[in-house]
Amino acid sequence: QPETSLYMDPIGHPLEGDLSNEMLDNYRCPDPLQDGRFAGVAAEARRLRETGSAVIMSAYGLGQWDYTHMICGMQHALMNLVLKPKEMERLLRMIHEVQMGYWEKALEIVGDNIDIVMHSDDLGMQNSPMMSPDMYRRFVKPLHEELIGMVKKKAKSEVKFLLHSCGSVRALIPDFIDVGVDILNPIQVSAAGMDTAELKKEFGKDLCFCGGGVDTQQILPRGTPEQVRDEVKRRLDDLAPGGGYIFAAVHNIQADVPPENLQAMYETLQEYGRY
């Protein structure tokens, strides 16, 4: 964890460099079916169900693309999409099979005690997606579609699928809808194309939006309480009409956020966020 960060950063990438089939032959993915991964999960799902709240389950891991660039390093992962497409398809498939195996067993264990499955695959940068829509459709979309289809088929009750994908992902949203995503998070309002009014108008009939309630890059940590109140009200005005909105700040609330700004966010939500 660097002194300048609140997060843990990778210190190395096991498949860094010019990806080859030999490297993939020698790489061993983790076993998704190890018993320890599921210890206590069934009991916790039952406990949460008894609270009367909606229950969200996440593997608390990353998605197929996220793991790929963690394993290869971002620079090499992006370059290899062009230079080594067959090898990248193989690596993505290897990661995908681990996740499919995990979720199939997890869904059996939790039974009908979950309502939402959450999958994290960050595909956006500040100004655009990390890859073109055509590249997403070739490399990642088929895996998302297969995972979502399996989850909805194997779940013991009807579940909704939440995709967490940060950044400017507007160009990919039609594809997300096409593969069966029900809920999109976090709605990074500071990224290009992520205007909440436009997103609601264009995609609000097909998607539930979760997040986007207040910008966490500038407004929440550095704005005044009045600016926070104005921001929260604006986002509610954009996203809440007609339903299909779950309020949350754009992303994790960090240690540098003034308490008075948190209070302003909460109080504004209580005043304007009920419908």
Side-chain angles (χ1 to χ4, degrees):
Q1 182 178 355
E3 292 183 0
T4 57
S5 176
L6 298 174
Y7 292 90
M8 308 297 286
D9 290 344
I11 60 171
H13 310 284
L15 296 182
E16 189 171 22
D18 190 19
L19 190 63
S20 67
N21 280 311
E22 182 180 2
M23 292 165 68
L24 294 171
D25 288 340
N26 293 323
Y27 185 72
R28 293 293 175 262
C29 290
D31 178 5
L33 304 181
Q34 284 181 327
D35 289 339
R37 302 188 190 283
F38 306 95
V41 169
E44 180 66 3
R46 287 194 299 270
R47 184 189 71 80
L48 292 170
R49 168 63 75 220
E50 291 170 359
T51 68
S53 300
V55 181
I56 302 175
M57 183 174 181
S58 169
Y60 197 75
L62 306 174
Q64 296 93 332
W65 169 244
D66 276 337
Y67 272 124
T68 297
H69 68 71
M70 287 281 189
I71 291 171
C72 295
M74 180 65 78
Q75 177 179 343
H76 291 286
L78 291 169
M79 290 173 61
N80 285 332
L81 289 174
V82 177
L83 300 176
K84 295 282 187 172
K86 293 297 184 182
E87 290 82 354
M88 286 294 282
E89 286 178 331
R90 183 181 170 193
L91 176 57
L92 281 157
R93 174 59 61 174
M94 288 167 61
I95 295 166
H96 175 68
E97 292 301 330
V98 171
Q99 297 188 337
M100 290 282 283
Y102 170 84
W103 274 111
E104 186 167 1
K105 184 170 181 178
L107 291 167
E108 179 181 349
I109 287 172
V110 299
D112 61 357
N113 288 318
I114 61 169
D115 302 289
I116 296 169
V117 164
M118 178 178 172
H119 181 73
S120 299
D121 224 355
D122 289 329
L123 289 154
M125 302 184 293
Q126 196 71 20
N127 298 314
S128 71
M130 293 185 192
M131 62 185 75
S132 70
D134 284 343
M135 278 196 164
Y136 170 75
R137 291 167 194 144
R138 173 177 177 177
F139 291 99
V140 183
K141 182 177 179 178
L143 306 180
H144 282 173
E145 185 171 28
E146 188 175 336
L147 176 64
I148 295 170
M150 185 275 290
V151 164
K152 293 188 175 183
K153 181 180 179 180
K154 296 288 186 178
K156 302 300 183 182
S157 58
E158 182 182 356
V159 297
K160 301 299 183 182
F161 196 93
L162 185 155
L163 176 66
H164 169 94
S165 198
C166 291
S168 175
V169 296
R170 185 171 182 168
L172 304 178
I173 290 178
D175 293 289
F176 296 161
I177 294 170
D178 187 47
V179 299
V181 171
D182 302 296
I183 307 166
L184 183 63
N185 165 270
I187 320 302
Q188 188 177 326
V189 298
S190 58
M194 299 299 286
D195 178 86
T196 45
E198 294 176 2
L199 291 174
K200 180 73 172 186
K201 181 179 180 181
E202 190 170 355
F203 304 112
K205 292 182 180 179
D206 300 303
L207 274 182
C208 171
F209 296 104
C210 173
V214 58
D215 168 51
T216 48
Q217 285 187 311
Q218 298 295 331
I219 299 296
L220 195 60
R222 298 178 178 85
T224 65
E226 188 59 35
Q227 288 174 314
V228 171
R229 282 189 283 269
D230 290 344
E231 167 88 349
V232 172
K233 188 174 185 305
R234 172 194 169 190
R235 303 304 176 184
L236 288 169
D237 287 343
D238 287 349
L239 294 168
Y245 179 53
I246 302 169
F247 181 89
V250 166
H251 214 289
N252 297 342
I253 295 171
Q254 304 294 342
D256 58 351
V257 173
E260 55 269 25
N261 284 4
L262 288 179
Q263 183 177 354
M265 179 187 74
Y266 178 79
E267 290 177 349
T268 307
L269 173 64
Q270 299 310 306
E271 183 176 358
Y272 294 102
R274 300 182 182 277
Y275 58 90

